[in-house]
Amino acid sequence: MVSPSEYSNYPKKRNQLNKITTMKHLILSLLLAVCTVCSAQTNHMKFKGIPIEGTLNSFVQKLKDKGYTFIGQQDGMAILKGEFAATKGCTIGVARFSDRDQVNLVAVIFPEEETWTGITKSYYTLKDMLTEKYGTPECIEEFSDRDPSSDFLKFHAILNDECHYISEFSCENGKIQLTMSKQDYNSASVILKYIDKANADETRKKVMDDL
């Protein structure tokens, strides 16, 4: 039987598990995405001014030095919490290669939203700032079916994975992807993914060697 105290903590625990599951899905999608990034490069993409390289523990320590709170580590992925792009309560996921201790991916999940107005405001605000810094992105902003007739249905489309909003910015040493994705049964978040070109080339080379 579940005690009252355990029951009261259940929503919080479930939300934490959903965060970890979402981050794992992000890492898997990024591992596929990096295989499409070409051209050898010795310099690395930076996140918060930190090159995306080195061991997982060393990279996490650098983020902790910048004020991020370490939440935990599982299956080659570390989770931290803190402020990013003037937004508090962001979740930061840092992943390493599956076969060696070298960081290769970073993703940011912004605080959850429960309305179309809320999530698109966050999406377009970040898109405008990224465009100002990195230039015009390649975009896909559409629904699986015809455009829903209301904001409620548009948000419901995100929850059903029927809303595809992706802005991809090309940088000197990698790419940045801005997306929206479901978090819980009634919430979704804007997600920012940092893909390092040098690590992508390394991943692609390994895949090619296996073929």
Side-chain angles (χ1 to χ4, degrees), residues 85-98:
T87 304
K88 296 181 179 179
C90 294
T91 301
I92 314 297
V94 183
R96 62 172 176 80
F97 287 103
S98 60

Side-chain angles (χ1 to χ4, degrees), residues 116 143 147-160 162-163:
W116 177 256
F143 296 88
D147 287 0
S149 58
S150 68
D151 285 358
F152 173 81
L153 292 176
K154 289 178 181 178
F155 190 78
H156 191 69
I158 301 178
L159 302 181
N160 287 334
E162 297 172 349
C163 175

Side-chain angles (χ1 to χ4, degrees), residues 110-111 113 117-127 178 190:
F110 285 82
E113 301 284 354
T117 300
I119 197 167
T120 52
K121 179 181 179 181
S122 178
Y123 175 88
Y124 284 115
T125 297
L126 286 166
K127 182 179 177 180
L178 179 68
V190 170

Side-chain angles (χ1 to χ4, degrees), residues 1 9 12 23 49-50 74 81 86 98 118 154 173 175 177:
M1 181 177 293
N9 288 329
K12 181 178 180 181
M23 194 61 72
I50 307 170
Q74 183 179 3
K81 295 280 288 187
S98 60
K154 289 178 181 178
N173 300 316
K175 292 188 176 183
Q177 291 181 350

